[in-house]
Amino acid sequence: MKIVLQRVSSASVTIEDKVVADIQKGLLILVGIEDTDGQEDIDWLVGKITKIRVFDDENHVMNLSVQDIDGDIIVVSQFTLHANTKKGNRPSYIKAAKPDVSIPLYENFVKKLDIELGKKIQTGVFGADMKVSLLNDGPVTIIIDSKNRE
């Protein structure tokens, strides 16, 4: 699994002119799932996301986690994170998992975040044409790949 984690002052997801997710201070997480991903990838990423210190403490040092600040999270599925751009000008998405694999993993990922944070995680709609708005705070944007955890 590959994620793009962004520290935001606010973020929202709109589908067909209807806001389906809306947060203030917290994290916007774009998640891409590939065929080889499983529960171990979910467990590792959720542990990393809930503890990563990307929010400022009283000394303006990134020393606090989303849990520490009681921040919110929006998770948006994004298969394009697995784009292969080595050949030609049209990206290949061959590594991205098909919906029969990716939907259950995506749902388990969101559920595990819900449980770990003890609050409802907001989401986009899997496979929908979404408009994602955010006010990136910092900016702080971090790419994390569960296959590069060693």
Side-chain angles (χ1 to χ4, degrees):
M1 291 178 86
K2 191 179 292 184
I3 68 165
V4 175
L5 178 145
Q6 297 178 56
R7 183 178 79 180
V8 297
S9 297
S10 63
S12 65
V13 178
T14 303
I15 300 172
E16 295 180 3
D17 297 322
K18 181 180 181 221
V19 175
V20 298
D22 187 23
I23 65 169
Q24 294 305 305
K25 189 172 187 176
L27 299 172
L28 171 67
I29 299 172
L30 306 175
V31 59
I33 299 168
E34 62 180 63
D35 286 330
T36 60
D37 291 330
Q39 189 62 45
E40 66 281 355
D41 297 286
I42 292 170
D43 294 342
W44 185 81
L45 277 172
V46 167
K48 186 63 77 175
I49 291 164
T50 57
K51 294 175 182 68
I52 195 164
R53 299 182 307 180
V54 294
F55 294 93
D56 291 350
D57 63 15
E58 65 279 354
N59 297 315
H60 305 290
V61 175
M62 287 196 292
N63 211 17
L64 301 174
S65 70
V66 70
Q67 286 182 309
D68 295 331
I69 65 153
D70 194 30
D72 291 318
I73 295 178
I74 293 179
V75 175
V76 175
S77 63
Q78 188 169 356
F79 76 94
T80 60
L81 291 179
H82 289 290
N84 182 333
T85 59
K86 288 182 182 176
K87 292 182 181 178
N89 293 317
R90 184 169 147 193
S92 167
Y93 304 106
I94 194 125
K95 289 179 80 177
K98 304 292 183 260
D100 62 317
V101 171
S102 57
I103 290 172
L105 289 173
Y106 173 78
E107 290 171 350
N108 287 343
F109 176 73
V110 172
K111 184 186 294 185
K112 178 103 176 158
L113 271 173
D114 277 344
I115 293 167
E116 291 296 315
L117 289 177
K119 64 175 15 180
K120 181 73 175 141
I121 302 302
Q122 296 191 50
T123 65
V125 175
F126 192 95
D129 180 19
M130 296 174 270
K131 307 302 181 215
V132 179
S133 298
L134 69 138
L135 182 56
N136 194 316
D137 182 15
V140 174
T141 301
I142 299 172
I143 299 169
I144 305 172
D145 188 334
S146 65
K147 302 302 186 216
N148 294 329
R149 58 181 174 234
E150 295 177 11

